[in-house]
Amino acid sequence: MVKDLTERRLARILLLGMVGMSLLIALLLGGYYFVVQRHDFDGVMVTLRQRALQEQQTLLKREAEAIGQDLDYRRGNAESVLRAEIQQRVDHAVSIAETIYRLNHGHQEEARIKTMVIEALRPLRFFEGRGYYFIDTLDGQCVLLPTSPQLEGSSLWNNQDPTGHYIMRGLVEATQNLQRAGFSRYYWYPPGEKTMREKIAYARTFAPFNWLIGAGEYVSNIEADQQQAALRQLRGVRFESHGYVAVLSLDGRVLVSPTRPQSEGLLVSQLNGQERRAVEAVLAQARRGGGLVRYQWHHPDSDALVEKLSYVSVYAPWNWVLVTGVYLDEFDQVMAAEQQAVDGRARNRLLVGAGITLLVLAGALVFSWRFTERMRAMVRQYQARLEQKNQELREHARKLQLAAAVFEGGSEAVVICDADNRILTVNRPFTQITGYAAEDVIGQSPSLFASGYHDAAFYQAMWLRLKQEDQWDGEIWNRRKDGSIFPEWLRIAVVRNAAGAIENYIATFSDISERKHAEEQIRHLAFYDPLTGLPNRRLLLDRLHQALLNSERHGRHAAVLFIDLDNFKSLNDTQGHDVGDLLLVEVAARLKQCVRETDTVARLGGDEFVVMLENLSVEFAQAVGEAERVATPIIQAMQAPFELAGYRHHSSCSIGVSVFFGCRESVEELLKHADTAMYQAKAAGRGVARFFVPAMQEALEARLLWESELRRGIAEGQLRLFYQVQIGPGQRVRGVEALVRWQHPERGLVPPGEFIALAEDTGLILPLGAWVLEEACRQLAVWAQSPATAHLHIAVNVSARQFHQPGFAESVHGLIQRHGIHPSRLKLELTESLLLDNVNESIATMQALRTLGIAFSMDDFGTGYSSLTYVKRLPIDQLKIDQSFVRDLTTDRDDEAIVRAIIAMAHSLKLEVIAEGVETEAQRSFLEHNGCHAFQGYLFGRPMPIEQLDSWLASTQGRVSGAPGQAG
């Protein structure tokens, strides 16, 4: 009954609390929504008003600036307009004079004609009666001056204006040009005035009488006309609904007032009331440099005083004050309407917000009731589970007591660490094994026991497995408290909590020192010869089996050398088995000195030994040579005298060799083959090595014969150079690659793939490479004599042994000097592996050659390391894309991606790029589209001897224009 009461009370409190909380949140959200909406709407109205005022201010300022620009335009054009009209008037006067002269010349006396011209021009007036014509002689004599007739007949040559300017002389100088006419500026008396003002005059020479006929106008008159025209225009300017322009002078006179035309011409002191105050405010703003001003002014519709916003600016050239203004009553009406609309939207939003709040509150009440019912059910479940957990805890406590007894009473040491790998507790067997008491290690890291026997990689692997599998077990060597090192078998388990986080590491271990010692003794007896310490037959067979698998997996040859001491039985018979045993021990030592650490030397029994060689060459012939190079030193070592307890013994051995590849033969068959070959060696006279299969021996002999013939071929000049063209942009031949061939007297033309590797192995590559370089330089010297071929280069492949030979750079320099060729025409092609064998030495040699002007191309690029770091360091000029990538370029997306990457890398390093093995138009098109514009391959020409190449170059003029595949 108490339990039910508690549940109901809890549910009631929870319901009331959630309802109250929901109501409070709804009210707070509603109030916040109202305040924010009100604040936002007020902000919108302020922003709108500010923006509208700013737009009005911008409009007024823009109108004032436009008026100022128009006035500047009028002033700027005033003088040009005046000059054009004066010139037109003078041209008209000269036309009159020429007409009178033409009509009367030959009929009247010259004096009479002059009088007729003078009297015809005297009464003529223009410029509203201000303008007239004057006539002077070229020596300054006044002929006609209507405003001062008393000066006619007198000389004006020395007349000066107030600035010191000689008026008559200036007019004469103005006509000293091809047009015999021109303008002059000076000061002169206006009609009826005694003060000179600036005047612009235009004069033309009248050749029949050597007269100057001219006219002029005062600058002030034309400017006054321009001002009046501008004022008339400004009276009609309107913008917006009631916007207009008013103009004042800086001395306070009203020049233009569209709404108060009766005030125009009045000074500010003559105005009354508000009109005077407004004009004074405008003038005050103008004296401060201009700007916005507010004042009361008469409305054009009602003549009532309304607030007005105006922009005041000063037009300095004419001392005018320009006022552009608008009335603010219309602006206020628009803003009031906008305010009303905003208020309406605000009310609507508040009503919507209130409705949403009520809906949320109703939903919260329903949710609270359902949540309360759910909580009541959960409380009942919790109480039931709590009782169950209490029962489980009592059972767990009992089990812990049992585990504690096992923890302390077991035979294995136990260490428990926390999540940070700090020791929390240990048991008694731990102290017995390590010598550390619990208080010595609690809080310490288990690294306290590290022996130094294991490297960092061992512990990294341990922690990686713990992380992946939550456990680790294995053998480990640790250190006791007294410093001694012992082996232990260790198991570590990771304990995680329910969330998956690590809480503890639990380690258990036992001392396996005695077991290890026993195992080692058993292993040594089982797998090693007790006399020599070498692997015995059992271990050899196991290693041979592993060698077969490794050969199959890695694709490399291996070999078994079966060694038998010659005449060993005689030594045993004459000197005894003790001396014989000493010989076997010495032989074992010498054999180990003759092989690599990775090779195996074993004793089968008696005087029979076996050497197993792994990781030999991929090529069979080379593997045979490597096995032979091991067998020869062994034979030599066995032939050296042995000192055996004061007895000097001379011995020898016979060796049978069996070279194998993969799992084609069993271990027993390999040993049988080697044993058979060993007996063949004994039959051959002892102290020699023989290969098991006759074909192997034949291959070795054939290789020696091939080497001998190649050596003779180099000495007797059997080598030939073929050339394959290299094509550049525009399908033009830019050079060739030199490719060596062997013209064998019996086998015919031998390709390089059949003898270059042999030359590399035997060292014949040095004289062969020197011959190729010599021949290439000789051909360059021949080509240099002809303009058609002087631009071609020859690319020569250089082997690793040749490149790293001391003095290589000097020898190339000597070739260039001896043949007198341009170094830039010689290009050396080097492979990646050649350069990366010794990067610093390679760079030094390349720099020495590059100083001479020789270019470098990295051959077969992409087939080696293709390291961007090394390529960037090497002073190369060109990357050569290997033909293995070009061959399937149009069908293999991997090859496409690799080629694009090589081209992009070459461009980023500013290197040339050329592709070899181009055989189809599709390959060429793809390469060119992706930025490779140099090519080499059968599409353009096969390798050809020099005679054929010269003929082809002459016929094609160095340009590939034939169909694809027909270039060669």
Side-chain angles (χ1 to χ4, degrees):
M1 188 67 182
V2 175
K3 178 179 178 182
D4 293 341
L5 180 62
T6 301
E7 292 175 2
R8 286 197 295 272
R9 185 177 182 185
L10 178 62
R12 189 181 302 113
I13 292 173
L14 183 61
L15 178 60
L16 291 176
M18 293 195 65
V19 170
M21 183 64 68
S22 300
L23 180 60
L24 178 61
I25 292 174
L27 291 175
L28 289 175
L29 288 176
Y32 173 77
Y33 179 76
F34 173 78
V35 172
V36 169
Q37 286 293 320
R38 184 73 261 174
H39 180 269
D40 289 345
F41 284 125
D42 291 343
V44 168
M45 290 307 302
V46 170
T47 302
L48 285 174
R49 185 173 185 85
Q50 291 176 348
R51 187 181 302 162
L53 284 174
Q54 183 65 37
E55 290 175 355
Q56 292 294 330
Q57 294 171 8
T58 303
L59 171 66
L60 296 176
K61 185 176 180 181
R62 190 163 56 245
E63 290 292 337
E65 291 174 349
I67 293 169
Q69 292 172 358
D70 183 66
L71 295 178
D72 288 338
Y73 178 76
R74 286 178 176 274
R75 285 189 66 253
N77 289 342
E79 185 172 324
S80 61
V81 171
L82 177 61
R83 285 173 176 259
E85 190 161 351
I86 294 173
Q87 183 176 351
Q88 182 182 1
R89 296 291 181 180
V90 173
D91 291 343
H92 179 65
V94 172
S95 176
I96 293 173
E98 289 176 343
T99 302
I100 295 173
Y101 180 80
R102 187 174 63 255
L103 294 175
N104 295 281
H105 180 65
H107 305 289
Q108 299 288 342
E109 295 181 356
E110 185 175 292
R112 175 60 181 162
I113 297 174
K114 288 181 178 180
T115 301
M116 292 172 67
V117 173
I118 292 169
E119 294 308 321
L121 298 180
R122 185 185 298 277
L124 298 181
R125 294 292 184 272
F126 41 89
F127 295 147
E128 297 181 359
R130 300 189 303 271
Y132 57 88
Y133 294 111
F134 61 84
I135 301 175
D136 299 296
T137 64
L138 292 177
D139 57 0
Q141 193 76 20
C142 179
V143 176
L144 171 64
L145 189 59
T147 58
S148 300
Q150 68 274 13
L151 297 178
E152 293 177 1
S154 62
S155 176
L156 303 179
W157 187 255
N158 293 318
N159 281 16
Q160 291 179 281
D161 64 10
T163 65
H165 175 70
Y166 287 94
I167 299 171
M168 182 55 66
R169 297 181 188 182
L171 289 169
V172 173
E173 290 176 0
T175 63
Q176 302 302 309
N177 52 48
L178 294 176
Q179 291 78 23
R180 305 291 290 171
F183 288 93
S184 179
R185 299 176 76 101
Y186 55 86
Y187 286 82
W188 191 251
Y189 299 98
E193 297 184 20
K194 296 183 179 181
T195 302
M196 289 185 173
R197 285 192 291 164
E198 187 177 15
K199 187 174 185 179
I200 298 176
Y202 179 75
R204 278 186 61 181
T205 302
F206 186 63
F209 301 147
N210 285 329
W211 282 356
L212 290 179
I213 300 177
E217 174 62 312
Y218 295 94
V219 174
S220 58
N221 292 337
I222 189 61
E223 193 162 296
D225 292 344
Q226 291 290 329
Q227 290 177 357
Q228 290 303 316
L231 292 175
R232 287 193 298 272
Q233 179 180 345
L234 292 177
R235 284 190 184 92
V237 173
R238 294 292 184 274
F239 49 89
E240 297 293 319
S241 59
H242 293 97
Y244 58 86
V245 180
V247 183
L248 307 174
S249 64
L250 280 177
D251 58 3
R253 186 176 301 278
V254 179
L255 301 179
V256 173
S257 180
T259 59
R260 307 289 290 175
Q262 63 271 24
S263 300
E264 292 182 359
L266 300 180
L267 291 169
V268 66
S269 59
Q270 298 174 303
L271 302 177
N272 297 316
Q274 178 57 35
E275 186 176 0
R276 179 174 179 174
R277 287 192 295 273
V279 173
E280 287 176 344
V282 170
L283 290 172
Q285 187 66 31
R287 295 186 186 99
R288 288 193 293 269
L292 293 168
V293 63
R294 292 191 182 198
Y295 53 87
Q296 299 288 324
W297 193 254
H298 299 276
H299 197 278
D301 293 339
S302 62
D303 201 36
L305 291 175
V306 179
E307 186 175 15
K308 187 175 184 181
L309 176 65
S310 296
Y311 182 80
V312 179
S313 61
V314 177
Y315 188 67
W318 290 348
N319 291 327
W320 283 2
V321 177
L322 304 177
V323 185
T324 55
V326 294
Y327 293 96
L328 295 178
D329 60 334
E330 298 175 359
F331 173 76
D332 292 337
Q333 293 174 4
V334 173
M335 292 306 299
E338 185 64 28
Q339 177 71 44
Q340 186 176 1
V342 169
D343 289 341
R345 291 195 297 271
R347 284 192 298 273
N348 293 336
R349 290 189 181 182
L350 288 175
L351 290 175
V352 172
I356 293 174
T357 302
L358 291 176
L359 290 175
V360 171
L361 182 59
L365 291 174
V366 174
F367 174 78
S368 299
W369 177 75
R370 295 296 302 272
F371 183 75
T372 301
E373 291 299 317
R374 178 63 178 166
M375 287 300 298
R376 290 181 63 184
M378 291 177 65
V379 167
R380 287 193 294 269
Q381 293 177 2
Y382 173 73
Q383 290 175 339
R385 290 178 181 176
L386 186 62
E387 180 62 28
Q388 182 182 357
K389 286 291 182 183
N390 288 335
Q391 182 64 30
E392 290 176 355
L393 286 174
R394 287 191 291 269
E395 180 66 21
H396 186 62
R398 187 184 65 80
K399 291 180 178 179
L400 284 178
Q401 292 175 352
L402 181 61
V406 174
F407 177 74
E408 291 293 339
S411 60
E412 288 189 333
V414 179
V415 181
I416 301 177
C417 299
D418 61 14
D420 296 325
N421 202 29
R422 296 290 174 182
I423 297 175
L424 298 176
T425 185
V426 297
N427 64 354
R428 279 193 299 270
F430 170 84
T431 301
Q432 295 169 358
I433 294 174
T434 65
Y436 285 102
E439 56 270 18
D440 296 334
V441 298
I442 291 176
Q444 300 290 327
S445 170
S447 60
L448 172 69
F449 316 125
S451 63
Y453 187 83
H454 306 285
D455 57 12
F458 174 85
Y459 292 105
Q460 289 173 358
M462 174 194 292
W463 282 104
L464 178 61
R465 184 176 168 192
L466 279 173
K467 182 178 179 181
Q468 294 175 344
E469 302 179 12
D470 284 351
Q471 63 179 4
W472 182 89
D473 62 308
E475 182 181 306
I476 188 171
W477 290 76
N478 274 336
R479 188 182 302 276
R480 295 187 176 93
K481 186 176 182 179
D482 60 7
S484 61
I485 297 175
F486 69 100
E488 64 182 48
W489 186 261
L490 174 64
R491 296 181 182 86
I492 304 176
V494 178
V495 180
R496 298 182 183 270
N497 59 21
I502 296 176
E503 286 191 345
N504 297 102
Y505 297 98
I506 299 178
T508 60
F509 64 87
S510 57
D511 187 350
I512 58 172
S513 300
E514 293 182 1
R515 189 184 79 186
K516 289 288 290 182
H517 180 68
E519 288 176 352
E520 184 62 29
Q521 287 184 329
I522 294 172
R523 180 178 180 278
H524 195 273
L525 291 174
F527 294 104
Y528 289 89
D529 174 45
L531 176 63
T532 60
L534 295 177
N536 60 15
R537 185 182 185 88
R538 178 180 296 176
L539 183 55
L540 173 65
L541 294 177
D542 180 70
R543 291 188 180 180
L544 275 174
H545 180 70
Q546 294 299 323
L548 289 171
L549 297 177
N550 290 335
S551 175
E552 183 77 25
R553 184 181 304 113
H554 300 296
R556 304 186 71 88
H557 287 83
V560 174
L561 280 65
F562 200 107
I563 305 167
D564 184 83
L565 299 180
D566 297 329
N567 301 317
F568 178 71
K569 185 176 183 301
S570 300
L571 177 65
N572 272 338
D573 293 342
T574 57
Q575 301 296 326
H577 290 279
D578 292 339
V579 176
D581 289 345
L582 290 177
L583 176 62
L584 295 175
V585 172
E586 287 296 321
V587 167
R590 292 189 185 185
L591 287 175
K592 288 192 288 187
Q593 293 175 356
C594 293
V595 298
R596 302 167 297 182
E597 292 184 0
T598 56
D599 298 330
T600 297
V601 179
R603 182 188 176 205
L604 290 185
D607 61 345
E608 295 179 338
F609 295 85
V610 172
V611 173
M612 184 182 70
L613 306 177
E614 291 192 83
N615 293 320
L616 300 182
S617 176
V618 176
E619 298 295 331
F620 175 75
Q622 295 182 11
V624 170
E626 291 171 349
E628 182 185 21
R629 285 192 287 274
V630 174
T632 300
I634 291 176
I635 293 173
Q636 295 172 350
M638 295 302 105
Q639 291 174 346
F642 289 91
E643 298 293 339
L644 307 174
Y647 172 73
R648 170 171 287 196
H649 176 68
H650 292 274
S651 181
S652 64
C653 69
S654 299
I655 302 177
V657 184
S658 177
V659 177
F660 62 91
F661 182 89
C663 299
R664 302 170 183 173
E665 300 166 304
S666 66
V667 172
E668 290 75 13
E669 288 175 335
L670 288 176
L671 291 176
K672 185 185 299 183
H673 294 167
D675 185 52
T676 301
M678 182 270 294
Y679 281 107
Q680 291 177 356
K682 285 186 177 291
R686 304 179 186 273
V688 295
R690 286 292 182 267
F691 289 87
F692 165 65
V693 180
M696 296 181 184
Q697 189 69 23
E698 293 172 3
L700 178 60
E701 293 174 356
R703 185 175 185 273
L704 294 174
L705 177 61
W706 195 235
E707 175 187 349
S708 175
E709 291 183 352
L710 178 59
R711 190 182 305 275
R712 185 171 63 254
I714 295 173
E716 295 178 358
Q718 296 175 6
L719 299 180
R720 299 289 184 268
L721 268 190
F722 276 51
Y723 301 90
Q724 188 173 31
V725 294
Q726 294 180 339
I727 307 301
Q731 301 290 300
R732 299 197 65 85
V733 178
R734 57 190 301 181
V736 298
E737 180 180 3
L739 302 171
V740 67
R741 300 290 189 269
W742 180 9
Q743 188 66 51
H744 194 277
E746 297 176 1
R747 306 186 185 189
L749 194 64
V750 180
E754 296 185 18
F755 63 89
I756 290 297
L758 176 64
E760 289 276 6
D761 292 342
T762 59
L764 291 176
I765 194 67
L766 295 178
L768 188 152
W771 178 86
V772 172
L773 274 174
E774 178 82 32
E775 192 67 10
C777 291
R778 186 193 64 77
Q779 186 58 47
L780 283 173
V782 174
W783 278 348
Q785 306 302 317
S786 171
T789 56
H791 67 284
L792 298 178
H793 69 258
I794 295 181
V796 178
N797 291 281
V798 178
S799 70
R801 181 174 292 189
Q802 183 181 8
F803 182 77
H804 292 300
Q805 184 184 21
F808 174 73
E810 291 77 8
S811 65
V812 175
H813 187 199
L815 284 174
I816 292 173
Q817 289 183 324
R818 184 163 65 254
H819 291 281
I821 64 172
H822 198 288
S824 64
R825 299 291 179 257
L826 179 62
K827 180 182 293 183
L828 300 184
E829 291 193 358
L830 312 174
T831 62
E832 292 179 72
S833 58
L834 179 156
L835 297 172
L836 300 182
D837 285 342
N838 189 330
V839 175
N840 293 331
E841 178 186 331
S842 299
I843 292 176
T845 303
M846 293 176 72
Q847 291 288 10
L849 291 169
R850 195 169 189 179
T851 302
L852 304 176
I854 294 175
F856 291 92
S857 176
M858 181 173 283
D859 195 12
D860 299 338
F861 185 75
T863 60
Y865 299 96
S866 303
S867 168
L868 182 59
T869 302
Y870 288 120
V871 173
K872 185 178 180 182
R873 289 181 58 194
L874 296 170
I876 60 177
D877 305 277
Q878 184 185 71
L879 295 181
K880 195 169 190 180
I881 303 174
D882 186 71
Q883 61 181 344
S884 62
F885 301 122
V886 177
R887 184 181 301 112
D888 299 324
L889 189 59
T890 57
T891 59
D892 191 324
R893 293 189 177 274
D894 292 339
D895 286 345
E896 289 181 7
I898 292 171
V899 169
R900 286 195 186 98
I902 293 173
I903 295 172
M905 184 176 74
H907 289 174
S908 66
L909 296 175
K910 296 181 174 57
L911 300 177
E912 295 180 5
V913 61
I914 183 173
E916 67 176 359
V918 180
E919 298 182 359
T920 67
E921 179 61 22
Q923 294 170 349
R924 187 205 64 78
S925 177
F926 176 91
L927 290 165
E928 189 169 60
H929 177 73
N930 285 276
C932 176
H933 304 292
F935 317 99
Q936 178 181 343
Y938 286 174
L939 178 63
F940 309 101
R942 294 176 176 272
M944 61 188 82
I946 187 61
E947 299 81 5
Q948 184 180 350
L949 176 63
D950 286 340
S951 176
W952 183 85
L953 289 173
S955 63
T956 61
Q957 297 183 352
R959 183 180 179 91
V960 178
S961 57
Q966 295 179 357

